Amino acid sequence: MKTLIIAEKPDMGRNIAAAIEPKAKNMRTHLEGEQYLITWAIGHLIELAEPDRYDEKYKKWNIADLPIIPDEFKLIPNPRTYDQLKVIDELAKRCDQLVNACDAGREGQHIFSLIQRHLRLKQPVKRLWISDLTPETIRSGFATLKDGAEYENLTRAARSRSEADWLIGMNGSRAFTTKHNVLLSVGRVQTPVLALIYDRQKQIEAFSSLKFFELEGHFEQGDTLYRGMWQGERFTEKEKADALAAKVKGKPARIASYEVKDTKEYPFKLYDLTLLQREANGKYAFSAKKTLDTAQSLYEKHKVISYPRTNSNYVTEQNIPEMHKTLSALQGTAYHELVQGANRSLVHTGNKFICNPSKVEDHHAILPTNKKATGLTPDEQKLYDLIVRRFLSQFYPPAAYKVHTVITEVEDEKFKTTVKELLSLGWKVIYADQKKEKPKSSKSKDKEEEEEEEIEVSEPFSLDANGDVRCKDAIVKEKETQPPKHYNEGSLLKAMESAGKQIEDEELRDAMKDSGLGTPATRAATIERLKKVGYIDMQGKKIMLTQKGRTAIELIRGAGVELLTSPEMTGQWERRLNEISRGTASDEQFMHNVKRFATLIVEKVRKQARAAKTSFEGDPPATEAKGKRSAGKARSEGSAAAKPARAKAAPKPAAAVASSDGPAIVAACPRPGCGGSLFMGRKGYGCSHYKTGCTFVIWKESFGRQLTETQVQSLVNKGRTAKLQLTLPDGTAAEGKIVLVNPETGELGTELV
């Protein structure tokens, strides 16, 4: 009999077949070779059953029926992919061994486990665990297949995560929704992430700006000019700052102290997924989901990077030779000159900044492979470029600086100067052709202010510590204290990684990875989830809390289940799941605690007073489950509780009319209660009431189309366009309609036909 290989997706299955069974026949749903049958799962073929599969009474949401805690969770096939599940079932009957070739991570393990449980597959299992999809790696992986039993702890952790999310999402969402008569989505991860955004918003609203003044002295010694900041308490009165400026201006000065020290700046660490998402957001405004999808395409479709869903910034000893091969493979590409300048001796097993096996669990850092990158889309090229440059920087020496710290004294007043003199670019030559240097790790506010006083120069700088100095000028600068910044997706990912703690130190950041909110693979989906349920909006790159999101957190905390909003608690849950995967914690004890907590949520909400309808005013209508299209999505974290709700009728759009003193009105703004009009801008169709807070916009470029005025009118008036040829987010072509998903923001989706 043959061996059945089950991959996670068709592309992966075909890559495996090309590497180990190149003559396999393509049977559309699988490939058949002499030794192997190779098929795929197309993501989740099996799901946890909805409550009504346990009891008909659960079809109607009723708080009296809560909590819902199954003794044994039922599994059901996903109706959209049922045919592929039947294929796997039939193929398994012809085989005496299985190979789990799903993604090498917790979710890949879970996908295979669900199929195995539902189909009651009893054959022995081997596990393919690889980090890239090049033919060499695939063949090597098959030569060293592991026994499936070695991953049993990972399976337990994956199952616990899935069932815990079901229990918290189902019971929490149903309890709060039925109590307050508004669709409120609650989740083990999404709720504490929303709480982070809520708390930041409250800090911003409570912030009171304070005006202050700084004094900058301009000094000269011979032909050398330099600036220094006055060292003292901030001035809150301009008169005092002006008086001090007048006191020192034009007066002789002396150098009270002058220190010079050599410093080095080493390359940034290799990418893990979260760091890649943060930097792609900062540099290209990519959403976390877009970065993940693009990276997955580079890995799966193009095979030019290693497995992207990693939380490690390091590699193992086995990866070092591969890094050297990849460096050689980059010769003759756009990176040829940078390869020529690389120093191979810098990347070796003794370099703990790169090679640290103790900090690599499932997967090493994201690396380019030795496959040439061709046919990339512009977005794929941008992300690939980030990864390649980060990789190449490891083969370059540190940047070298001489830091001059000067204290200049004039009229008994001290001014501090810090000059950072560049001696050698080192690894920074990798980014010398770019307008901006590499995005740096975000700094604390004090650190930022400190950086402002530092001047970086590329020319030689020196002073005579005993020479004459004169204060040529003194300038008073007016400034204001700044409120905390709104989260963007990059800074929110950083907060999720550290469970909301402000961590600047890289070692501490590594230590927190096990107890962050969610995993690298799920954080993007959590952010997208918050958008879809109407808890957050995007204003450019800024994440803004909606009234619905604000009220949701206040109701949850008001019910006395603050732990549900606690990043620290959820981070500890994630740590426990990681311990289960290593065999150092009990999945049974974990699930016992989750069930107790789900019961507590229901008990607390029962006693809560119903919220006033006005507390949700200004929110988008509850359109979470719009017929069949949304119902299929109601099984992600916290969304199993979604139930259909009727959308309010949007205002009927006006026909496009020309205005003698402004741009043409395309349609009436469909945002409930807005009353504005849509106008065509350079990049999209926005609302005339944008100055008073309306954030509705339909972007012209959507799903591979440049939307016309007629199509926008159709979206506003009918909720969908006519049938069009579309390009889906994963790059595949499809035929379907563009639909208006959220009349509050203008978010669009697709309805495939």
Side-chain angles (χ1 to χ4, degrees), residues 381-396:
Q381 182 59 49
K382 286 175 182 174
L383 206 64
Y384 180 69
D385 184 68
L386 282 180
I387 294 165
V388 171
R389 288 178 190 266
R390 181 61 62 97
F391 166 82
L392 288 171
S393 70
Q394 311 304 312
F395 290 88
Y396 276 74

Side-chain angles (χ1 to χ4, degrees), residues 97-101 112 124-128 145-148 151:
Q97 183 171 263
L98 307 177
V99 174
N100 175 3
F112 179 87
V125 177
K126 295 290 184 181
R127 183 57 157 117
L128 176 69
L145 287 173
K146 303 288 176 63
D147 195 276
Y151 296 88

Side-chain angles (χ1 to χ4, degrees), residues 301-336:
K301 179 181 176 184
H302 300 286
K303 299 182 279 295
V304 293
I305 67 168
S306 62
Y307 186 70
R309 298 173 186 228
T310 175
N311 71 343
S312 178
N313 305 98
Y314 300 91
V315 301
T316 66
E317 290 96 337
Q318 291 75 29
N319 299 125
I320 297 296
E322 294 301 319
M323 290 178 73
H324 284 266
K325 284 181 188 175
T326 297
L327 183 67
S328 298
L330 288 169
Q331 292 184 101
T333 69
Y335 305 99
H336 182 77

Side-chain angles (χ1 to χ4, degrees), residues 154-403:
L154 185 62
T155 301
R156 288 193 183 98
R159 180 172 179 172
S160 297
R161 193 280 310 159
S162 173
E163 293 177 359
D165 285 348
W166 192 99
L167 287 167
I168 299 301
M170 194 66 66
N171 288 291
S173 298
R174 287 193 173 212
F176 280 102
T177 296
T178 52
K179 169 59 78 170
H180 302 291
N181 203 29
V182 173
L183 186 61
L184 292 173
S185 178
V186 170
R188 180 183 66 87
V189 177
Q190 74 170 45
T191 300
V193 173
L194 180 62
L196 287 176
I197 299 166
Y198 173 92
D199 290 339
R200 176 64 59 87
Q201 182 71 33
K202 295 292 280 186
Q203 288 173 359
I204 293 169
E205 290 168 0
F207 182 81
S208 181
S209 181
L210 175 68
K211 190 179 289 187
F212 66 96
F213 303 89
E214 288 183 347
L215 179 60
E216 183 180 88
H218 290 212
F219 301 95
E220 61 180 356
Q221 184 184 72
D223 294 332
T224 303
L225 301 175
Y226 66 97
R227 301 194 302 270
M229 300 303 296
W230 180 70
Q231 299 300 288
E233 293 295 319
R234 282 175 171 172
F235 294 108
T236 55
E237 298 174 29
K238 188 173 187 298
E239 294 76 14
K240 289 184 178 180
D242 288 337
L244 188 55
K247 174 184 172 183
V248 300
K249 186 174 179 180
K251 300 294 174 62
R254 72 179 188 91
I255 295 177
S257 72
Y258 182 21
E259 292 180 2
V260 182
K261 67 175 182 178
D262 292 325
T263 64
K264 293 180 178 180
E265 287 186 15
Y266 288 86
F268 295 115
K269 288 182 179 177
L270 292 165
Y271 285 123
D272 58 25
L273 176 59
T274 301
L275 193 54
L276 180 63
Q277 288 171 317
R278 282 166 49 190
E279 296 204 352
N281 179 256
K283 188 165 187 179
Y284 299 120
F286 284 7
S287 69
K289 182 179 185 300
K290 181 172 182 176
T291 297
L292 175 57
D293 291 346
T294 305
Q296 193 68 19
S297 178
L298 290 171
Y299 163 68
E300 198 171 288
K301 179 181 176 184
H302 300 286
K303 299 182 279 295
V304 293
I305 67 168
S306 62
Y307 186 70
R309 298 173 186 228
T310 175
N311 71 343
S312 178
N313 305 98
Y314 300 91
V315 301
T316 66
E317 290 96 337
Q318 291 75 29
N319 299 125
I320 297 296
E322 294 301 319
M323 290 178 73
H324 284 266
K325 284 181 188 175
T326 297
L327 183 67
S328 298
L330 288 169
Q331 292 184 101
T333 69
Y335 305 99
H336 182 77
E337 284 187 27
L338 296 176
V339 173
Q340 296 302 102
N343 181 351
R344 292 171 179 265
S345 68
L346 295 174
V347 176
H348 55 87
T349 56
N351 183 345
K352 294 304 176 190
F353 186 83
I354 301 169
C355 182
N356 194 336
S358 68
K359 294 188 177 181
V360 180
E361 290 191 9
D362 295 342
H363 296 286
H364 56 72
I366 301 172
L367 299 171
T369 67
N370 56 21
K371 187 177 186 297
K372 289 278 195 297
T374 56
L376 304 186
T377 66
D379 286 343
E380 288 170 343
Q381 182 59 49
K382 286 175 182 174
L383 206 64
Y384 180 69
D385 184 68
L386 282 180
I387 294 165
V388 171
R389 288 178 190 266
R390 181 61 62 97
F391 166 82
L392 288 171
S393 70
Q394 311 304 312
F395 290 88
Y396 276 74
Y401 294 90
K402 190 170 286 197
V403 178

Side-chain angles (χ1 to χ4, degrees), residues 226 253-258 406-410 413-415 465:
Y226 66 97
R254 72 179 188 91
I255 295 177
S257 72
Y258 182 21
V406 187
I407 301 295
T408 306
E409 194 173 273
V410 50
E413 304 294 342
K414 288 183 171 61
F415 292 78

